[in-house]
């Protein structure tokens, strides 16, 4: 039987992902406001938020808001 080698501890992988920072270059991003009203009112509110984000120069946020607006348009048309 060959001589036994000493056991070397193997580091365990760290599966916990670090949380991304919540602050943006313009400050802390507020939580999305709850939108109340009918589907068409919600669509109009999301389109207004998209326009605000576009004016602020945040194209990604504007596109996200437009996608929510499209969702509420489809809901109002009975497609979803």
């Amino acid at each position: 039987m060959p001589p036994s080698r000493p056991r070397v501890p193997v580091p365990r992988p760290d599966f916990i992902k670090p949380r991304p920072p919540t602050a943006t270059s313009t400050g802390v991003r507020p939580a999305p406001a709850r939108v109340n009203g009918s589907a068409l009112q919600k669509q109009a509110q999301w389109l207004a938020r998209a326009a605000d984000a576009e004016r602020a120069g945040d194209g990604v946020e504007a596109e996200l808001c437009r996608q929510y607006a499209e969702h509420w348009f489809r809901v109002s048309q009975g497609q979803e």
Side-chain angles (χ1 to χ4, degrees), residues 23-75:
T24 61
S25 61
T26 59
V28 177
R29 184 178 194 170
R34 193 160 195 97
V35 182
N36 296 321
S38 70
L40 287 176
Q41 289 171 329
K42 290 179 184 184
Q43 178 198 13
Q45 289 171 341
W46 281 111
L47 287 173
R49 287 184 67 174
D52 290 343
E54 194 71 43
R55 279 191 293 274
D58 191 351
V60 174
E61 181 73 16
E63 180 60 27
L64 176 72
C65 292
R66 283 192 287 270
Q67 288 177 1
Y68 277 115
E70 181 183 3
H71 162 74
W72 286 112
F73 173 75
R74 290 173 186 268
V75 168

Side-chain angles (χ1 to χ4, degrees), residues 7-23:
R7 290 191 68 120
V8 178
V10 178
R12 299 187 74 157
D14 184 14
F15 291 109
I16 299 174
K17 293 181 181 177
R19 288 183 162 214
T22 56

